[in-house]
Amino acid sequence: MQKRHFLGLGASLLTGAAALPALAAGKKTGSHGPVLLTVTGDIDAPNRGALDPALDQMMAKQKLAFDKAHTFDFAALTALPSVEIRPTLEYDGRRHTLRGPLLSDVLRASGAPASIENCALRAIDGYAVLVSPQDIARLRFIVATHLDGKPIPLGGLGPLWAVYDADSIPELAARPLAERFGQCPWGLYHIAVRKA
């Protein structure tokens, strides 16, 4: 990718992230903001069509393919019931409050079947992990939209972060801090669902 195009993409993403609070406020009016999360695979509630290689550049470059998807903007995610967690983060060794819907609720809203084999969680930098339905439930993954009461900015850990409260899970809390969040991609933008 040429530097000019990359910088232009970064500027437009930052502009979209700066509008997140306004999008949350606008959810009552039914406004539709920029898509932050795309769920593909075995889902029954699509609200968009197939990947467009010309317009879905990042997904195409990361070799994603789909014929249907369910997309969420900031307002749609914050309209789902949210939970708060307070994990100690590896980046500064301090506890922070993270808030957002349970990953299981996001999957349900996208029409994922009750019985899935796994989900691939993908970040904007291409980092991806497979998580089982057992781990989604046991670890109580959330799709964090807020950090310490503010929308998570792009260029930081957001605007979305698939994360859990490692402090409250004994086998994770026993690990060194730097080894607790390997299954937690920040900058989450894509989830691929595979049914069992």
Side-chain angles (χ1 to χ4, degrees), residues 38 40-41 48-52 56 59 64-69 190:
T38 302
T40 64
R48 74 155 276 179
L51 177 120
D52 181 335
D56 297 318
M59 289 190 240
L64 300 180
F66 55 87
D67 60 357
K68 64 183 180 199
H190 177 256

Side-chain angles (χ1 to χ4, degrees), residues 114-184:
S115 177
I116 63 170
E117 183 175 330
N118 59 44
C119 287
L121 308 176
R122 183 176 303 276
I124 57 176
D125 64 359
Y127 182 76
V129 295
L130 278 179
V131 293
S132 69
Q134 295 82 9
D135 280 349
I136 291 169
R138 180 178 67 85
L139 302 175
R140 289 187 48 86
F141 269 91
I142 70 169
V143 176
T145 57
H146 289 77
L147 172 67
D148 296 331
K150 299 176 185 169
I152 307 173
L154 181 66
L157 298 169
L160 304 176
W161 186 9
V163 65
Y164 42 68
D165 188 351
D167 292 2
S168 69
I169 303 161
E171 74 268 21
L172 293 176
R175 294 181 186 172
L177 194 52
E179 297 175 14
R180 295 181 188 176
F181 297 99
Q183 289 186 283
C184 300

